[in-house]
Amino acid sequence: MKRRRLWAGLAGTLAVATGVTVWAIQPHPAPATESKSAPGTLAQRHQVEVLMQTALLQQSEIHDSKGAADTYRRLLKLDPRNKVAWYNLGVIGQQDGMPDDARTAYDKALEIDPSFTSALFNEAILLKSSDPDRAIGLLKKCIAADPKAATAYLQLGDILAEKDRDKEAGEAFRRAVAADPSLYSQVPESFRNSVTPSPTSSQAGSTR
């Protein structure tokens, strides 16, 4: 029972951390239906659920990224189409300075769910400097899946501004601030006059 309460609290915390307004490079909790959709017997599905809980605890509470990665790989042998396990392997690779491993894992997650917004966003951040055109495409897919993805608009604006596509960048910054006025301070000064948040939207954004 204690383990279940700990897992429920961890999942709730991580769900907030990976919310649609502001993403960070964070592990993603498995949805309740994920293990139920896994192939195999009831015992195998239960094993997948236990491995996911263990890996999340290793990753977020114990900060044992190597141990968590090993646990996710064990899980994926049982359930190779578990997008959350692939995504979290990507997070570990990204945090541990292994961009090739991270990209491979994110791509696996996106093969399973092309609209997985967290994977789209994180891979775009990974490629922001090395492959900005690919990053732009990923961020646009992220926004198509979640039109209120304020941070995705902000990152899109940054990349477009770097490529001197100022009109498109300004529109992306405007949409970012419209979705979340708290991001206004992160908009480059040269674009701020055109994206000033209204007083009403500021009040709305302060509660998110």
Side-chain angles (χ1 to χ4, degrees):
M1 183 65 70
K2 182 178 180 182
R3 183 185 181 90
R4 287 183 179 274
R5 285 198 297 268
L6 177 60
W7 162 241
L10 175 63
T13 300
L14 295 179
V16 171
T18 55
V20 296
T21 303
V22 179
W23 280 286
I25 309 303
Q26 294 277 0
H28 201 291
T33 58
E34 195 76 21
S35 62
K36 294 178 184 177
S37 65
T41 65
L42 181 63
Q44 287 174 320
R45 292 197 294 273
H46 175 70
Q47 189 177 359
V48 166
E49 182 179 351
V50 169
L51 287 169
M52 178 64 74
Q53 293 179 16
T54 300
L56 284 166
L57 288 169
Q58 289 172 311
Q59 188 174 2
S60 299
E61 296 291 302
I62 305 172
H63 304 295
D64 176 10
S65 60
K66 183 180 183 302
D70 289 343
T71 305
Y72 286 128
R73 292 189 187 101
R74 287 170 58 200
L75 185 160
L76 286 164
K77 288 180 180 178
L78 296 170
D79 183 10
R81 289 186 58 80
N82 191 301
K83 68 177 184 180
V84 173
W86 282 118
Y87 169 81
N88 286 341
L89 275 177
V91 169
I92 290 170
Q94 196 163 2
Q95 290 177 328
D96 288 357
M98 298 182 291
D100 292 341
D101 290 351
R103 184 172 182 182
T104 297
Y106 289 142
D107 283 343
K108 289 283 190 180
L110 291 169
E111 285 176 13
I112 298 162
D113 180 2
S115 62
F116 191 175
T117 51
S118 296
L120 289 165
F121 181 84
N122 281 9
E123 186 169 351
I125 298 305
L126 188 68
L127 299 175
K128 188 174 177 180
S129 299
S130 61
D131 191 350
D133 290 331
R134 171 68 174 157
I136 287 171
L138 290 165
L139 288 169
K140 286 183 175 180
K141 288 181 181 179
C142 181
I143 289 164
D146 179 8
K148 295 182 179 180
T151 310
Y153 279 118
L154 183 72
Q155 295 294 334
L156 179 61
D158 281 342
I159 299 172
L160 291 168
E162 285 289 328
K163 295 176 73 67
D164 296 322
R165 292 163 61 175
D166 288 356
K167 184 175 180 181
E168 295 170 86
E171 177 63 13
F173 288 133
R174 186 188 69 76
R175 289 179 178 272
V177 173
D180 183 354
S182 71
L183 296 179
Y184 176 71
S185 63
Q186 298 182 46
V187 174
E189 289 187 11
S190 58
F191 290 93
R192 287 184 186 175
N193 287 341
S194 60
V195 297
T196 303
S198 68
T200 54
S201 64
S202 284
Q203 290 176 357
S206 65
T207 63
R208 299 186 66 151

